[in-house]
Amino acid sequence: MIVTKNLKKAFGSHMVLNGIDETINKGEKVVVIGPSGSGKSTFLRCLNLLEVPTDGEIWFEGVNITDKKSDINKIRCKMGMVFQQFNLFPHLSVLENITLAPVQHGMMTKEQAESKAYELLQRIGLTEKANAYPNQLSGGQKQRIAIVRALAMNPDVMLFDEPTSALDPEMVGEVLDLMAQLADEGMTMVVVTHEMRFAKKVATRILFMDEGMIVEQNTPDKFFDHPTHPRLQEFLSKIL
Amino acid sequence: MLERLRESFYNALIPDQRYLAYLDGLKVTLLISFFAILLGIFIGILVAVVKVTAMNSKMRWLVAVCNVYINIIRGTPLMVQLLIIYNLIFTSRSTNELLVGAVCFGINSGAYVAEIIRAGIESIDRGQMEAGRSLGLNYLQTMRLIILPQAIRNILPALGNEFIVLIKETSVAGVIAVTDLTKAAQYVGSRTWDILPPLVIAAACYLVLVMGLSKVLSIFERRLSKGDRH
């Protein structure tokens, strides 16, 4: 579904991604972990071209999205993204946050988008917040609504960029639960996170990044129980 | 003493239906201000968006063009700009002074509004643009639907200031033979040989205008702040 070929990204003279070849298949839940500065967020943000790669190719559903001729806006409609800082639109109500993009793209009428939004809100138990504004919500509520906002576009893959890192500890659970539900329903997911329990439970594959490279990848069991790369062993010994 | 004051204001207003002169002047002032504000907002948004957008692209020369415009407008007196535009650009005899005035004040205001709006756009977190783009909205859609509404809310007080200044500055429109409120007051004064009462009346009109605008702006501000924490 997503294929990267020799993906490189430099900020100035600083190489953040050093040539990543990776294939993410439909239905996979790929968790990316690694020390800060390892390039994991940059890797994720390259997948929907929020960061433009310096070199290499990214293919999504058979289309080379790094090709100047492909319509990135159309492609992004199929790739939901959730940010560390939620990035809800503070001047719009919760309902408007969710319906804005589908209506703008002409994918749905306003009425269809609203009924879909209510459906999604019901699922996360926040129907009564439909007309509230983001600043009236807790962090956990904001992030769940941000997830739902991305889901309203019916994406084929969801990208999560440290979705729980900005949350108070007691709100992490509700967000991870929603993500686990999505995973159970078969959504293809790429998640950058520091939540090792989540990675163990939900991931089908874990990538470990260091200095712009994927240095090791494995199924969760083997990844945590039998790490082979010394850098990964060191990392795990520090955090577990 | 009071009797004389009453009489001179009476003379400044009533005989020969002089109040109509103020009303006509007021109409001109309002028309020029209104269209100048619209044009100023249009130019301001355009220049600000161009500056913010072109900064990181190959179209950097556009930023230079915008800066030249802003520097010239902000670096020269309004009245001189007015006279130059009137005499140089609109030379035909059948010039519509009112239109010239509105265009000139609009061009002038645009430079100030552009810088205010640019500051507003830059005050919005980068994540807002990224969130909009990640939902497949293009750059201009995100700008229009997500960035500008928040930016304008943040800068409304500064923008209001600019419009207040603009309304008052239209009082120099008289130099291009536009009979605005100030000019009308001067005409009345030259008739009655008593210049102070008409000027006071004109001043009162400006005051009411500006206070009305302030009121409108504060209502607007409250409407736009609905997303703030209560």
Side-chain angles (χ1 to χ4, degrees):
Chain A
M1 175 179 254
I2 303 177
V3 181
T4 70
K5 294 179 184 165
N6 191 30
L7 180 63
K8 286 184 181 166
K9 174 71 185 176
F11 291 112
S13 60
H14 177 59
M15 288 298 286
V16 184
L17 297 179
N18 271 314
I20 293 186
D21 295 289
E22 189 54 59
T23 301
I24 293 159
N25 293 309
K26 192 164 166 48
E28 271 197 297
K29 295 96 184 70
V30 177
V31 170
V32 186
I33 65 174
S36 59
S38 60
K40 52 193 190 311
S41 277
T42 307
F43 170 62
L44 190 79
R45 289 160 56 84
C46 277
L47 296 183
N48 70 350
L49 251 49
L50 278 187
E51 300 289 355
V52 181
T54 324
D55 199 7
E57 288 178 4
I58 301 166
W59 291 71
F60 175 67
E61 297 181 335
V63 179
N64 179 2
I65 66 172
T66 34
D67 186 348
K68 287 262 186 302
K69 282 188 281 265
S70 46
D71 180 359
I72 186 59
N73 296 319
K74 215 168 206 153
I75 291 156
R76 283 187 180 131
C77 293
K78 289 279 141 208
M79 306 173 107
M81 180 143 193
V82 176
F83 300 86
Q84 183 176 353
Q85 299 294 339
F86 329 130
N87 294 345
L88 291 179
F89 307 132
H91 62 302
L92 300 177
S93 70
V94 166
L95 197 64
E96 291 164 333
N97 262 277
I98 300 171
T99 57
L100 177 75
V103 173
Q104 281 295 318
H105 289 300
M107 294 161 59
M108 302 177 201
T109 64
K110 194 157 177 285
E111 289 71 30
Q112 286 170 327
E114 282 183 0
S115 78
K116 166 116 189 170
Y118 273 111
E119 211 174 283
L120 288 162
L121 284 172
Q122 186 158 27
R123 166 183 186 163
I124 57 172
L126 289 176
T127 326
E128 79 278 10
K129 299 289 187 193
N131 295 310
Y133 284 86
N135 287 337
Q136 298 165 319
L137 306 173
S138 74
Q141 292 172 332
K142 280 187 209 175
Q143 193 61 302
R144 286 186 289 148
I145 284 163
I147 293 172
V148 156
R149 177 176 72 178
L151 289 177
M153 304 279 292
N154 291 319
D156 293 340
V157 57
M158 288 283 285
L159 311 174
F160 293 85
D161 188 5
E162 303 198 28
T164 57
S165 297
L167 292 174
D168 289 341
E170 75 265 30
M171 292 172 181
V172 171
E174 59 190 74
V175 172
L176 292 182
D177 286 349
L178 175 58
M179 289 167 63
Q181 270 179 39
L182 278 181
D184 284 344
E185 289 162 16
M187 175 65 77
T188 311
M189 293 164 62
V190 185
V191 186
V192 171
T193 187
H194 295 293
E195 295 292 332
M196 297 303 150
R197 288 228 313 275
F198 175 81
K200 227 175 222 172
K201 203 175 75 183
V202 174
T204 53
R205 188 153 59 101
I206 304 181
L207 311 181
F208 177 71
M209 284 186 69
D210 191 35
E211 293 181 349
M213 306 277 280
I214 296 174
V215 295
E216 180 157 352
Q217 55 170 302
N218 221 326
T219 57
D221 293 342
K222 289 184 188 150
F223 184 89
F224 286 108
D225 297 339
H226 307 289
T228 54
H229 197 279
R231 191 68 189 85
L232 175 57
Q233 288 167 350
E234 186 196 337
F235 181 75
L236 290 177
S237 72
K238 276 186 194 152
I239 57 161
L240 291 178
Chain B
M1 172 69 190
L2 258 178
E3 189 56 32
R4 268 192 50 204
L5 205 62
R6 208 187 64 84
E7 197 189 314
S8 53
F9 272 92
Y10 177 86
N11 281 334
L13 270 174
I14 307 301
D16 304 333
Q17 295 188 307
R18 283 183 185 137
Y19 53 89
L20 286 180
Y22 299 103
L23 283 181
D24 285 341
L26 188 62
K27 203 175 83 189
V28 170
T29 292
L30 278 173
L31 279 172
I32 291 182
S33 304
F34 180 73
F35 288 108
I37 286 175
L38 286 189
L39 185 62
I41 292 175
F42 176 76
I43 294 177
I45 290 179
L46 191 71
V47 170
V49 170
V50 164
K51 271 187 81 169
V52 172
T53 308
M55 209 61 174
N56 309 310
S57 75
K58 292 168 204 109
M59 312 267 274
R60 262 199 114 102
W61 59 273
L62 270 175
V63 179
V65 172
C66 292
N67 282 337
V68 167
Y69 159 69
I70 290 170
N71 282 330
I72 289 180
I73 295 296
R74 293 203 304 187
T76 55
L78 172 61
M79 199 196 274
V80 177
Q81 292 166 17
L82 199 58
L83 288 168
I84 289 177
I85 290 185
Y86 180 61
N87 286 302
L88 190 85
I89 300 170
F90 298 90
T91 43
S92 98
R93 278 293 286 137
S94 59
T95 312
N96 181 345
E97 282 86 3
L98 211 135
L99 183 74
V100 180
V103 168
C104 189
F105 285 106
I107 290 174
N108 179 273
S109 181
Y112 294 91
V113 172
E115 288 296 273
I116 296 172
I117 291 180
R118 186 177 61 85
I121 292 173
E122 283 171 358
S123 74
I124 304 301
D125 185 70
R126 242 177 46 141
Q128 292 290 310
M129 176 57 82
E130 290 181 349
R133 298 306 306 274
S134 80
L135 290 165
L137 303 175
N138 66 34
Y139 182 86
L140 286 179
Q141 278 177 315
T142 312
M143 198 45 109
R144 177 168 60 86
L145 297 165
I146 294 167
I147 308 295
L148 281 177
Q150 296 181 61
I152 292 195
R153 187 193 66 187
N154 288 354
I155 57 170
L156 209 56
L159 220 46
N161 254 341
E162 168 56 27
F163 297 150
I164 286 171
V165 169
L166 175 63
I167 286 184
K168 292 186 299 179
E169 289 218 305
T170 59
S171 61
V172 302
V175 300
I176 57 167
V178 175
T179 311
D180 71 320
L181 182 56
T182 306
K183 200 74 191 171
Q186 286 176 314
Y187 282 144
V188 172
S190 67
R191 279 290 181 77
T192 58
W193 296 86
D194 189 6
I195 187 69
L196 268 180
L199 288 179
V200 170
I201 289 166
C205 291
Y206 283 111
L207 189 63
V208 170
L209 262 184
V210 169
M211 281 167 60
L213 180 68
S214 306
K215 186 77 195 156
V216 170
L217 282 166
S218 74
I219 291 170
F220 205 55
E221 213 168 314
R222 223 174 318 142
R223 287 256 312 267
L224 282 180
S225 69
K226 61 188 173 180
D228 291 348
R229 191 182 287 276
H230 302 286

